[in-house]
Amino acid sequence: MNNLEQTLSIIKPDAVERNLDTEIKEIFKKKGFLIKKEKKIQIEKIEAEKFYKVHETKPFYNDLCAYLSSGPIVAMVLEKENAVLDNRELMGATDPKDAVEGTIRKKYGISIDKNSVHGSDSLENAKIEIDFFFKD
Ligand code: CMP
């Protein structure tokens, strides 16, 4: 059954700062994701607050938004069958210390904050998050 989906992926400041973006993009491509769109940008804290609005009541919200806006990021639209779930599996657990071998966060993540990548958690949020970065 064809279940072609798009999801949003962000290579976060900790990974871009370590020049890991090319390497991480290669992992996505090897796993069958097409990078349909991508851009390297730095966003303002106020934009990060909008992007992570779903977490606004969480104690880590302020640090999270400060962090995402602290340096350049690479935002990408990834496409493949079952892209949302497959990307979440490939990223691994939110906290790199809980991530399994072979996942991006296990390999590159530094901490729960500096966990190298973000990926949409549902198809519904993927559409919202893709629009956030790529609506023209
Ligand atoms: P991400 O998938 O980008 O979504 C929200 C981010 O909040 C998450 O990755 C983590 O980097 C960050 N975060 C910080 N503390 C926590 C926490 N206790 N639980 C979940 N996410 C956290």
Side-chain angles (χ1 to χ4, degrees):
M1 201 179 76
N2 186 325
N3 192 30
L4 196 64
E5 293 178 350
Q6 291 190 339
T7 191
L8 183 90
S9 171
I10 300 174
I11 304 177
K12 292 188 178 184
D14 66 274
V16 175
E17 186 179 72
R18 287 176 287 154
N19 292 313
L20 294 169
D21 37 324
T22 307
E23 209 171 308
I24 291 175
K25 282 192 279 183
E26 282 309 310
I27 295 175
F28 286 124
K29 288 188 225 169
K30 272 193 199 132
K31 292 285 180 181
F33 291 90
L34 283 179
I35 301 175
K36 299 289 283 186
K37 293 181 185 173
E38 67 171 281
K39 62 179 173 189
K40 189 174 187 176
I41 45 166
Q42 181 162 1
I43 61 172
E44 299 289 335
K45 185 164 181 249
I46 194 160
E47 296 176 281
E49 286 166 359
K50 280 184 209 151
F51 181 75
Y52 276 131
K53 196 165 173 38
V54 60
H55 294 301
E56 71 182 332
T57 59
K58 310 270 175 60
F60 55 83
Y61 179 62
N62 186 57
D63 286 350
L64 171 63
C65 298
Y67 170 62
L68 193 73
S69 55
S70 68
I73 58 174
V74 178
M76 296 172 289
V77 176
L78 302 181
E79 184 177 278
K80 77 185 284 293
E81 287 197 6
N82 303 312
V84 173
L85 271 179
D86 285 2
N87 180 39
R88 291 188 68 76
E89 195 178 314
L90 180 56
M91 286 194 302
T94 306
D95 191 338
K97 71 173 163 34
D98 301 326
V100 300
E101 215 55 62
T103 62
I104 294 173
R105 284 168 169 164
K106 172 73 179 181
K107 190 164 185 196
Y108 302 112
I110 295 168
S111 64
I112 194 165
D113 302 298
K114 297 184 174 182
N115 61 357
S116 302
V117 281
H118 166 85
S120 310
D121 65 1
S122 67
L123 198 52
E124 190 190 352
N125 282 337
K127 290 188 174 76
I128 295 167
E129 293 184 351
I130 288 169
D131 271 1
F132 183 91
F133 282 101
F134 293 100
K135 198 165 190 164
D136 24 48

